[in-house]
């Protein structure tokens, strides 16, 4: 009987792990229906802050309602991914570095179905180890590549 219960427990744990989002390389620390000022407001965008001053500028540019997060910029950097969503809010499905560390993939999924085609600005804020991010050459956000060779 104990073996049967243990087997059921393992199956339950592994099924929950399989259903969870992949956030192996960073942490989502904030998301909000807001976007950057200027012409990229309706387009996908990736922005990175390596310092408190850069984060201060981006936080203002994206017009976030929340206070800026307290980040240890000796160890971490901030990555902001901007997109559009409809009446079904987007959630992060995957935030994952490739094995060689040169590609970062960020994928979203809508939360719900039967969504209206209304366009809302949406921005996701991640923290990631600075040493890992400095190696990244390309971020793929919702399938679109963003070249980071300027690092």
């Amino acid at each position: 009987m104990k073996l049967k219960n243990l087997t059921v427990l393992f199956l339950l744990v592994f099924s929950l792990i399989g259903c969870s989002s992949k956030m192996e390389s960073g942490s989502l620390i904030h998301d909000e229906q807001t976007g950057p000022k200027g012409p990229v407001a309706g387009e996908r965008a990736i922005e990175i802050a390596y310092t408190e001053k850069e984060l201060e500028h981006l936080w203002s540019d994206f017009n976030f309602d929340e206070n800026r997060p307290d980040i240890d910029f000796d160890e971490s950097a901030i990555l902001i991914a901007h997109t559009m969503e409809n009446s079904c809010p987007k959630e992060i499905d995957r935030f994952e570095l490739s094995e060689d560390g040169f590609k970062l993939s960020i994928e979203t999924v809508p939360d719900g179905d039967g969504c209206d085609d209304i366009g809302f600005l949406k921005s996701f804020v991640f923290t990631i180890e600075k040493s890992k991010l400095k190696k990244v050459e390309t971020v793929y956000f919702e399938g679109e590549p963003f070249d980071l060779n300027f690092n």
Side-chain angles (χ1 to χ4, degrees), residues 30-55:
H30 184 68
D31 66 270
E32 189 175 318
Q33 280 189 339
T34 189
K37 300 172 189 168
V40 296
E43 301 173 9
R44 286 184 191 92
I46 295 291
E47 296 289 346
I48 297 173
Y50 289 103
T51 66
E52 183 68 35
K53 188 169 183 88
E54 290 172 343
L55 178 58

Side-chain angles (χ1 to χ4, degrees), residues 24-26 50 75-77 95 97 100-104 128-137 148 151:
E24 299 172 2
S25 305
Y50 289 103
E75 299 290 325
S76 300
F95 185 94
L97 280 171
D100 61 10
F102 294 122
K103 292 189 317 186
L104 174 63
I128 183 171
E129 288 179 42
K130 195 180 278 188
S131 60
K132 289 182 179 179
L133 187 58
K134 288 222 179 242
K135 189 175 178 182
V136 173
E137 294 176 357
L148 299 186
N151 292 339

Side-chain angles (χ1 to χ4, degrees), residues 56-72:
E56 181 180 331
H57 172 74
L58 287 174
W59 209 257
S60 174
D61 190 45
F62 275 76
N63 199 30
F64 287 110
D65 287 333
E66 298 287 324
N67 292 331
R68 284 188 320 272
D70 186 27
I71 302 297
D72 177 4

